Amino acid sequence: MSSFNPSDWFWIVGGDASKAWSSAAAAYVTSYDEERVTHIANEVELYDVLARCGLSSRAPSRSFTLSEVRDALAKIDAGLVGSRVTADELAEAAGMIGFFLPNMAA
């Protein structure tokens, strides 16, 4: 396996191996190096990973729904997320676990 280089890596998001997110291209690609790929649950978590590496500009850049963000956070810590549903509440929960959030649509 290749050494992890977050600026030139691939992520299979969810279970769809027909494409992978390329941090180098900042887009989905259909051809990728099997030795430089990681499976990740969703695009919200992918944003967090790339933002932690200082590469948020290479992460998916759309606005995520509150539901997408809530679902992603609940998979990490359902108890902490609890009944939080607003952008402010979700941002608070994310801050408590040190999670970098993408832009959220209302």
Side-chain angles (χ1 to χ4, degrees):
M1 183 168 199
S2 298
S3 295
F4 179 64
N5 176 358
S7 64
D8 188 16
W9 203 254
F10 301 95
W11 286 266
I12 294 173
V13 180
D16 184 1
S18 69
K19 62 184 180 179
W21 182 266
S22 164
S23 57
Y28 280 103
V29 296
T30 55
S31 178
Y32 54 89
D33 183 348
E34 295 281 341
E35 291 192 15
R36 292 185 299 130
V37 68
T38 299
H39 291 262
I40 196 159
N42 52 62
E43 288 183 338
V44 176
E45 287 187 26
L46 177 56
Y47 180 89
D48 174 65
V49 167
L50 290 171
R52 288 174 185 278
C53 296
L55 299 169
S56 58
S57 65
R58 295 185 182 192
S61 61
R62 66 183 177 81
S63 289
F64 292 82
T65 66
L66 296 177
S67 177
E68 286 177 294
V69 171
R70 185 181 190 293
D71 289 348
L73 292 174
K75 286 180 182 176
I76 296 166
D77 192 334
L80 177 67
V81 173
S83 61
R84 300 171 198 257
V85 294
T86 68
D88 288 342
E89 291 170 336
L90 295 172
E92 179 184 30
M96 292 171 79
I97 59 173
F99 192 92
F100 290 81
L101 285 179
N103 291 328
M104 292 182 277

